[in-house]
Amino acid sequence: MRSSFTVLNIFILLLTLNINLAQAKQTSTENKASSNEPELDITLLNRTDKSWDGKRLPSYPSGQPQITVLKIVIPPKGKFPIHKHPFITVATILKGEITLYLEDGSQQLRLTSGDVDTEVVNNWHYATNEGTVPTDIIVFYAGIKGMPVLIKK
């Protein structure tokens, strides 16, 4: 008799949970339908553990984190000089085009408007705008307070 009572209690509990979930879903749908707020459009632009040359990203250095965001404009036929980053850096091309080169010439990467680039870390490289319009880039530096965001050669 006790096992029948337990099974019956579990059945009633599950039925109640199912009804409550259905009501919650209906309320959520009604709230969404009655809301004048537009739906968000979220797109993943970049998730990686490697830089553009295929190497694994290093661990973050220790110290007080400091985020730096720069807008860089490279004119047509312009060049960003040879440099390296001591920590993880990500760039987004807003407009134009850019070609990245490792200093030793072993690899290159061409990026255009909308592309996202995870920069090489502690590796000398440079960039050129071989296009006919300025290239607008937003660069995010996940650095450490007191460290430079880039080191020129």
Side-chain angles (χ1 to χ4, degrees), residues 55-87:
K55 293 184 180 171
R56 290 186 75 71
L57 293 171
S59 297
Y60 290 105
S62 62
Q64 175 61 46
Q66 182 176 40
I67 300 298
T68 303
V69 180
L70 299 179
K71 179 180 180 187
I72 299 172
V73 179
I74 302 176
K77 310 303 179 201
K79 180 178 178 180
F80 197 99
I82 295 174
H83 64 282
K84 66 180 178 178
H85 307 283
F87 40 72

CSV table of all heavy atoms in Angstrom, one decimal, residues 55-87:
chain,number,residue,atom,x,y,z
A,55,LYS,N,49.0,29.5,-33.5
A,55,LYS,CA,49.6,29.1,-32.2
A,55,LYS,C,48.6,29.4,-31.1
A,55,LYS,O,47.8,30.3,-31.1
A,55,LYS,CB,50.9,30.0,-32.0
A,55,LYS,CG,52.0,29.6,-33.0
A,55,LYS,CD,53.3,30.4,-32.6
A,55,LYS,CE,54.3,30.0,-33.7
A,55,LYS,NZ,55.5,30.9,-33.5
A,56,ARG,N,48.8,28.5,-30.0
A,56,ARG,CA,47.9,28.6,-28.9
A,56,ARG,C,48.2,29.9,-28.1
A,56,ARG,O,49.4,30.3,-28.0
A,56,ARG,CB,48.1,27.4,-27.9
A,56,ARG,CG,47.5,26.1,-28.5
A,56,ARG,CD,47.6,25.0,-27.5
A,56,ARG,NE,46.6,25.0,-26.5
A,56,ARG,CZ,45.3,24.8,-26.6
A,56,ARG,NH1,44.8,24.6,-27.8
A,56,ARG,NH2,44.5,24.8,-25.6
A,57,LEU,N,47.1,30.5,-27.6
A,57,LEU,CA,47.3,31.8,-26.9
A,57,LEU,C,48.0,31.5,-25.5
A,57,LEU,O,47.7,30.4,-24.9
A,57,LEU,CB,46.0,32.4,-26.6
A,57,LEU,CG,45.3,33.0,-27.9
A,57,LEU,CD1,43.9,33.4,-27.6
A,57,LEU,CD2,46.1,34.1,-28.5
A,58,PRO,N,48.8,32.4,-25.1
A,58,PRO,CA,49.5,32.2,-23.8
A,58,PRO,C,48.6,32.5,-22.6
A,58,PRO,O,47.5,33.1,-22.8
A,58,PRO,CB,50.7,33.2,-23.8
A,58,PRO,CG,50.1,34.3,-24.7
A,58,PRO,CD,49.3,33.6,-25.7
A,59,SER,N,49.0,32.1,-21.4
A,59,SER,CA,48.2,32.5,-20.2
A,59,SER,C,48.3,34.0,-20.1
A,59,SER,O,49.3,34.6,-20.5
A,59,SER,CB,48.8,31.8,-19.0
A,59,SER,OG,48.7,30.4,-19.1
A,60,TYR,N,47.4,34.5,-19.3
A,60,TYR,CA,47.4,36.0,-19.1
A,60,TYR,C,48.6,36.2,-18.1
A,60,TYR,O,48.8,35.4,-17.2
A,60,TYR,CB,46.1,36.5,-18.4
A,60,TYR,CG,45.0,36.5,-19.4
A,60,TYR,CD1,44.0,35.5,-19.4
A,60,TYR,CD2,44.9,37.5,-20.4
A,60,TYR,CE1,42.9,35.5,-20.3
A,60,TYR,CE2,43.9,37.5,-21.3
A,60,TYR,CZ,42.9,36.5,-21.3
A,60,TYR,OH,41.9,36.5,-22.2
A,61,PRO,N,49.3,37.4,-18.3
A,61,PRO,CA,50.3,37.7,-17.3
A,61,PRO,C,49.7,38.1,-15.9
A,61,PRO,O,48.5,38.4,-15.9
A,61,PRO,CB,51.0,38.9,-17.9
A,61,PRO,CG,50.3,39.3,-19.1
A,61,PRO,CD,49.2,38.3,-19.3
A,62,SER,N,50.4,38.0,-14.9
A,62,SER,CA,49.9,38.3,-13.6
A,62,SER,C,50.0,39.9,-13.4
A,62,SER,O,50.9,40.5,-14.0
A,62,SER,CB,50.6,37.6,-12.4
A,62,SER,OG,52.0,37.9,-12.4
A,63,GLY,N,49.2,40.4,-12.5
A,63,GLY,CA,49.2,41.8,-12.3
A,63,GLY,C,47.8,42.4,-12.4
A,63,GLY,O,46.8,41.6,-12.6
A,64,GLN,N,47.6,43.7,-12.2
A,64,GLN,CA,46.3,44.3,-12.3
A,64,GLN,C,45.9,44.4,-13.7
A,64,GLN,O,46.5,45.1,-14.5
A,64,GLN,CB,46.4,45.7,-11.7
A,64,GLN,CG,45.1,46.6,-11.8
A,64,GLN,CD,44.0,45.9,-11.1
A,64,GLN,OE1,44.1,45.5,-9.9
A,64,GLN,NE2,42.8,45.9,-11.8
A,65,PRO,N,44.8,43.7,-14.1
A,65,PRO,CA,44.3,43.8,-15.4
A,65,PRO,C,43.9,45.2,-15.9
A,65,PRO,O,43.5,46.0,-15.0
A,65,PRO,CB,43.0,42.9,-15.4
A,65,PRO,CG,43.2,42.1,-14.2
A,65,PRO,CD,43.9,42.9,-13.2
A,66,GLN,N,44.2,45.5,-17.1
A,66,GLN,CA,43.8,46.8,-17.7
A,66,GLN,C,43.4,46.6,-19.1
A,66,GLN,O,44.1,46.1,-19.9
A,66,GLN,CB,44.9,47.8,-17.6
A,66,GLN,CG,44.5,49.2,-18.1
A,66,GLN,CD,45.7,50.2,-18.0
A,66,GLN,OE1,46.8,49.9,-18.2
A,66,GLN,NE2,45.3,51.4,-17.6
A,67,ILE,N,42.1,47.0,-19.4
A,67,ILE,CA,41.6,46.9,-20.8
A,67,ILE,C,41.8,48.2,-21.5
A,67,ILE,O,41.5,49.2,-20.9
A,67,ILE,CB,40.1,46.5,-20.8
A,67,ILE,CG1,39.8,45.2,-20.1
A,67,ILE,CG2,39.5,46.5,-22.2
A,67,ILE,CD1,40.5,44.0,-20.7
A,68,THR,N,42.4,48.1,-22.7
A,68,THR,CA,42.6,49.3,-23.5
A,68,THR,C,41.9,49.0,-24.9
A,68,THR,O,42.1,48.0,-25.4
A,68,THR,CB,44.1,49.6,-23.7
A,68,THR,OG1,44.7,49.7,-22.5
A,68,THR,CG2,44.3,50.8,-24.6
A,69,VAL,N,41.2,50.0,-25.3
A,69,VAL,CA,40.5,49.9,-26.6
A,69,VAL,C,40.9,51.1,-27.5
A,69,VAL,O,40.8,52.3,-27.0
A,69,VAL,CB,39.0,49.9,-26.5
A,69,VAL,CG1,38.3,49.8,-27.9
A,69,VAL,CG2,38.5,48.8,-25.6
A,70,LEU,N,41.5,50.8,-28.6
A,70,LEU,CA,42.0,51.9,-29.5
A,70,LEU,C,41.3,51.8,-30.9
A,70,LEU,O,41.0,50.7,-31.3
A,70,LEU,CB,43.5,51.8,-29.8
A,70,LEU,CG,44.4,51.9,-28.6
A,70,LEU,CD1,45.8,51.8,-29.0
A,70,LEU,CD2,44.2,53.2,-27.9
A,71,LYS,N,41.0,53.0,-31.5
A,71,LYS,CA,40.6,53.0,-32.9
A,71,LYS,C,41.9,53.4,-33.7
A,71,LYS,O,42.5,54.5,-33.4
A,71,LYS,CB,39.5,54.0,-33.1
A,71,LYS,CG,39.1,54.0,-34.6
A,71,LYS,CD,37.9,55.0,-34.8
A,71,LYS,CE,37.6,55.0,-36.3
A,71,LYS,NZ,36.6,56.1,-36.6
A,72,ILE,N,42.2,52.6,-34.7
A,72,ILE,CA,43.4,52.9,-35.5
A,72,ILE,C,42.9,53.0,-36.9
A,72,ILE,O,42.1,52.2,-37.4
A,72,ILE,CB,44.4,51.7,-35.4
A,72,ILE,CG1,44.9,51.6,-33.9
A,72,ILE,CG2,45.6,51.9,-36.3
A,72,ILE,CD1,45.7,50.4,-33.6
A,73,VAL,N,43.4,54.1,-37.6
A,73,VAL,CA,43.0,54.3,-39.0
A,73,VAL,C,44.3,54.2,-39.8
A,73,VAL,O,45.3,55.0,-39.5
A,73,VAL,CB,42.3,55.7,-39.2
A,73,VAL,CG1,42.0,55.9,-40.7
A,73,VAL,CG2,41.1,55.7,-38.4
A,74,ILE,N,44.4,53.3,-40.7
A,74,ILE,CA,45.6,53.2,-41.6
A,74,ILE,C,45.2,53.7,-43.0
A,74,ILE,O,44.2,53.2,-43.6
A,74,ILE,CB,46.0,51.7,-41.7
A,74,ILE,CG1,46.4,51.1,-40.3
A,74,ILE,CG2,47.2,51.6,-42.6
A,74,ILE,CD1,46.7,49.7,-40.3
A,75,PRO,N,45.9,54.7,-43.5
A,75,PRO,CA,45.5,55.3,-44.7
A,75,PRO,C,45.7,54.3,-45.9
A,75,PRO,O,46.5,53.4,-45.8
A,75,PRO,CB,46.4,56.5,-44.8
A,75,PRO,CG,47.6,56.2,-44.0
A,75,PRO,CD,47.0,55.3,-42.9
A,76,PRO,N,45.1,54.6,-47.1
A,76,PRO,CA,45.4,53.7,-48.2
A,76,PRO,C,46.9,53.7,-48.5
A,76,PRO,O,47.6,54.7,-48.4
A,76,PRO,CB,44.6,54.4,-49.4
A,76,PRO,CG,43.6,55.3,-48.7
A,76,PRO,CD,44.2,55.7,-47.3
A,77,LYS,N,47.3,52.5,-48.8
A,77,LYS,CA,48.7,52.2,-49.1
A,77,LYS,C,49.6,52.5,-47.9
A,77,LYS,O,50.9,52.5,-48.0
A,77,LYS,CB,49.3,53.0,-50.3
A,77,LYS,CG,48.4,52.9,-51.6
A,77,LYS,CD,48.2,51.5,-52.0
A,77,LYS,CE,47.3,51.4,-53.2
A,77,LYS,NZ,46.7,50.2,-53.5
A,78,GLY,N,49.0,52.6,-46.7
A,78,GLY,CA,49.8,52.9,-45.5
A,78,GLY,C,50.2,51.6,-44.8
A,78,GLY,O,49.8,50.5,-45.2
A,79,LYS,N,51.2,51.7,-43.9
A,79,LYS,CA,51.8,50.5,-43.2
A,79,LYS,C,51.8,50.8,-41.7
A,79,LYS,O,52.2,51.9,-41.3
A,79,LYS,CB,53.2,50.3,-43.8
A,79,LYS,CG,53.9,49.1,-43.1
A,79,LYS,CD,55.3,48.9,-43.7
A,79,LYS,CE,56.0,47.7,-43.1
A,79,LYS,NZ,57.3,47.5,-43.6
A,80,PHE,N,51.4,49.8,-41.0
A,80,PHE,CA,51.6,49.8,-39.5
A,80,PHE,C,52.9,49.1,-39.3
A,80,PHE,O,53.1,48.0,-39.6
A,80,PHE,CB,50.5,49.1,-38.8
A,80,PHE,CG,50.3,49.4,-37.4
A,80,PHE,CD1,49.4,50.3,-36.9
A,80,PHE,CD2,51.2,48.8,-36.4
A,80,PHE,CE1,49.3,50.6,-35.6
A,80,PHE,CE2,51.1,49.1,-35.1
A,80,PHE,CZ,50.1,50.0,-34.6
A,81,PRO,N,53.9,49.8,-38.6
A,81,PRO,CA,55.3,49.3,-38.5
A,81,PRO,C,55.4,48.0,-37.7
A,81,PRO,O,54.5,47.6,-37.0
A,81,PRO,CB,56.0,50.4,-37.8
A,81,PRO,CG,55.0,51.3,-37.2
A,81,PRO,CD,53.7,51.1,-37.9
A,82,ILE,N,56.5,47.4,-37.9
A,82,ILE,CA,56.8,46.1,-37.2
A,82,ILE,C,56.7,46.3,-35.7
A,82,ILE,O,57.2,47.3,-35.1
A,82,ILE,CB,58.2,45.6,-37.5
A,82,ILE,CG1,58.2,45.2,-39.0
A,82,ILE,CG2,58.6,44.3,-36.7
A,82,ILE,CD1,59.6,44.8,-39.5
A,83,HIS,N,55.9,45.4,-35.0
A,83,HIS,CA,55.7,45.5,-33.6
A,83,HIS,C,55.3,44.1,-33.1
A,83,HIS,O,55.1,43.2,-33.8
A,83,HIS,CB,54.5,46.5,-33.3
A,83,HIS,CG,53.2,46.1,-33.9
A,83,HIS,ND1,52.9,46.3,-35.2
A,83,HIS,CD2,52.1,45.6,-33.3
A,83,HIS,CE1,51.7,45.8,-35.5
A,83,HIS,NE2,51.2,45.4,-34.3
A,84,LYS,N,55.1,44.0,-31.8
A,84,LYS,CA,54.6,42.8,-31.1
A,84,LYS,C,53.7,43.3,-29.9
A,84,LYS,O,53.9,44.4,-29.4
A,84,LYS,CB,55.7,41.8,-30.7
A,84,LYS,CG,56.6,42.3,-29.6
A,84,LYS,CD,57.6,41.2,-29.3
A,84,LYS,CE,58.6,41.7,-28.3
A,84,LYS,NZ,59.6,40.6,-27.9
A,85,HIS,N,52.9,42.4,-29.5
A,85,HIS,CA,52.0,42.6,-28.4
A,85,HIS,C,52.4,41.6,-27.2
A,85,HIS,O,52.6,40.4,-27.5
A,85,HIS,CB,50.5,42.3,-28.7
A,85,HIS,CG,50.1,43.1,-29.9
A,85,HIS,ND1,49.8,44.4,-29.9
A,85,HIS,CD2,49.9,42.7,-31.2
A,85,HIS,CE1,49.4,44.8,-31.1
A,85,HIS,NE2,49.5,43.8,-31.9
A,86,PRO,N,52.6,42.1,-26.0
A,86,PRO,CA,53.0,41.3,-24.9
A,86,PRO,C,51.9,40.5,-24.3
A,86,PRO,O,52.1,39.7,-23.4
A,86,PRO,CB,53.6,42.2,-23.9
A,86,PRO,CG,52.9,43.5,-24.2
A,86,PRO,CD,52.6,43.5,-25.6
A,87,PHE,N,50.7,40.7,-24.8
A,87,PHE,CA,49.5,39.9,-24.2
A,87,PHE,C,48.4,39.8,-25.3
A,87,PHE,O,48.6,40.4,-26.4
A,87,PHE,CB,49.0,40.6,-23.0
A,87,PHE,CG,48.9,42.1,-23.0
A,87,PHE,CD1,48.0,42.8,-23.8
A,87,PHE,CD2,49.9,42.8,-22.3
A,87,PHE,CE1,48.0,44.1,-23.9
A,87,PHE,CE2,49.9,44.2,-22.4
A,87,PHE,CZ,48.9,44.9,-23.2
